Amino acid sequence: KPRMLWPAEFGEVLHAAAAGGATKIGLDHFFEYPVTGWDEAADVLFLQAYTQLTSRHIPVILAYPELQLPHAGGAVPVYSQASADHNTADTQRTLTSDEDGIIRGFSESMFARPFSAAIVQPGLQASRHVRPVVIRYYGPSHATFTGVSMADVLEAARAGNEAKLSGWFNGRIALIGAGDALERTPYGMMPNVEIQANAISTMLGGDTLNPATPEEHWTLLITAALLAALIAYTIRWPFSLPLTVAIAAAAFAVVLVEHARGVVLHTVPVE
């Protein structure tokens, strides 16, 4: 009996998303949820769905936390195959949170590839260099990305309702995940799968927010400090006050302009 269990419907829902026209499919699920019984056919159906879709050039990316790593004599077939195809990724360890516990980004390293990066560029190995990426959140939970119950998808697929499937998936990336795996974000609690959707949209839209280099930070701070000191030295109080305020406003404007360009300076919080 395997260490992990999943419903046989997982293979079926992969086929349903593909039938609806999904361009890529990501399964953000750790198989920690109980099932009513072990179905020996579930492994085979899941593997068949994976291999059939990938052979049709529909990438299927599987979440791959430590719990699901294959062990000698106990490897799960679909994860062994997906790992060989470089179609496995991490959805938890690669997310990065600040001191306040809010997830604002993710990082890629040679040890773990982020789920969102694997969706955007499937089939690649993890990078040898750590690349921190700040996620641009597009709105609160359930307000930006369309969600649909897996039960509704299965019902439509079994009824042959191609119109419904197409309306949900056509031309889109389909992410399958639990709605109760919540994490803290700038917009409050949000399901992990929806955080991944924001991260994917950030990368696809070129909205990636990158931390500024130390040189950029020091250039801004030193320039502002020198100008403020020069004004304080050459212009008497209180006439120097408006100019000092103007320098602070100009520095803040630089921060906003750089933020719009995708560069985050630490003088303002990232949200």
Side-chain angles (χ1 to χ4, degrees), residues 226-247:
L226 288 176
L227 288 175
L230 180 63
I231 289 174
Y233 182 76
T234 58
I235 302 177
R236 295 175 57 185
W237 175 267
F239 303 104
S240 60
L241 179 60
L243 292 176
T244 303
V245 172
I247 290 174

Side-chain angles (χ1 to χ4, degrees), residues 1 3 12 19 23 25 40 88 107 112 114 119-120 122 124 139 146 150-151 157 180 185 205 213 226 241 254 267:
K1 188 173 180 178
R3 296 169 58 247
E12 192 176 353
T23 58
I25 302 172
E40 291 187 73
T88 57
S107 61
I119 290 286
V120 174
L124 299 182
T146 302
M150 181 172 167
D180 59 353
T185 74
T213 64
L226 288 176
L241 179 60
V254 170
T267 46

Side-chain angles (χ1 to χ4, degrees), residues 52-268:
Q52 288 171 8
L53 296 187
T54 53
S55 67
R56 291 162 47 194
H57 305 290
I58 301 175
V60 179
I61 308 300
L62 307 180
Y64 212 174
E66 299 258 353
L67 175 67
Q68 293 165 208
L69 290 172
H71 298 278
V76 181
V78 65
Y79 275 87
S80 297
Q81 182 61 51
S83 181
D85 296 338
H86 303 301
N87 281 341
T88 57
D90 188 283
T91 62
Q92 287 188 328
R93 289 182 301 162
T94 54
L95 292 175
T96 56
S97 58
D98 293 339
E99 294 180 356
D100 56 8
I102 293 178
I103 293 176
R104 291 191 170 93
F106 62 88
S107 61
E108 180 172 1
S109 72
M110 63 184 298
F111 302 106
R113 190 163 193 226
F115 187 72
S116 53
I119 290 286
V120 174
Q121 293 182 307
L124 299 182
Q125 298 187 50
S127 171
R128 292 181 178 273
H129 305 285
V130 175
R131 295 193 303 107
V133 176
V134 178
I135 300 171
R136 186 185 292 273
Y137 287 94
Y138 296 90
S141 181
H142 306 302
T144 306
F145 299 97
T146 302
V148 59
S149 168
M150 181 172 167
D152 292 339
V153 172
L154 291 172
E155 181 181 356
R158 291 165 181 170
N161 194 330
E162 297 181 2
K164 268 192 175 181
L165 295 177
S166 179
W168 289 327
F169 300 115
N170 190 39
R172 298 177 179 176
I173 296 173
L175 301 182
I176 305 168
D180 59 353
L182 302 176
E183 304 283 356
R184 293 186 64 192
T185 74
Y187 284 96
M189 302 303 290
M190 184 177 292
N192 192 318
V193 68
E194 198 167 349
I195 294 175
Q196 301 298 333
N198 280 279
I200 291 168
S201 293
T202 297
M203 299 181 71
L204 289 177
D207 292 335
T208 304
L209 297 173
N210 300 305
T213 64
E215 292 79 7
E216 290 171 324
H217 284 297
W218 282 110
T219 298
L220 176 63
L221 293 175
I222 292 174
T223 301
L226 288 176
L227 288 175
L230 180 63
I231 289 174
Y233 182 76
T234 58
I235 302 177
R236 295 175 57 185
W237 175 267
F239 303 104
S240 60
L241 179 60
L243 292 176
T244 303
V245 172
I247 290 174
F252 185 65
V254 170
V255 170
L256 294 180
V257 169
E258 290 300 302
H259 191 274
R261 293 178 55 245
V263 178
V264 178
L265 291 162
H266 292 167
T267 46
V268 294

Side-chain angles (χ1 to χ4, degrees), residues 24-74:
K24 300 175 184 177
I25 302 172
L27 181 58
D28 178 16
H29 191 82
F30 296 159
F31 306 112
E32 297 170 344
Y33 298 87
V35 295
T36 55
W38 177 43
D39 184 352
E40 291 187 73
D43 279 10
V44 176
L45 294 174
F46 195 7
L47 176 60
Q48 287 178 345
Y50 170 84
T51 55
Q52 288 171 8
L53 296 187
T54 53
S55 67
R56 291 162 47 194
H57 305 290
I58 301 175
V60 179
I61 308 300
L62 307 180
Y64 212 174
E66 299 258 353
L67 175 67
Q68 293 165 208
L69 290 172
H71 298 278

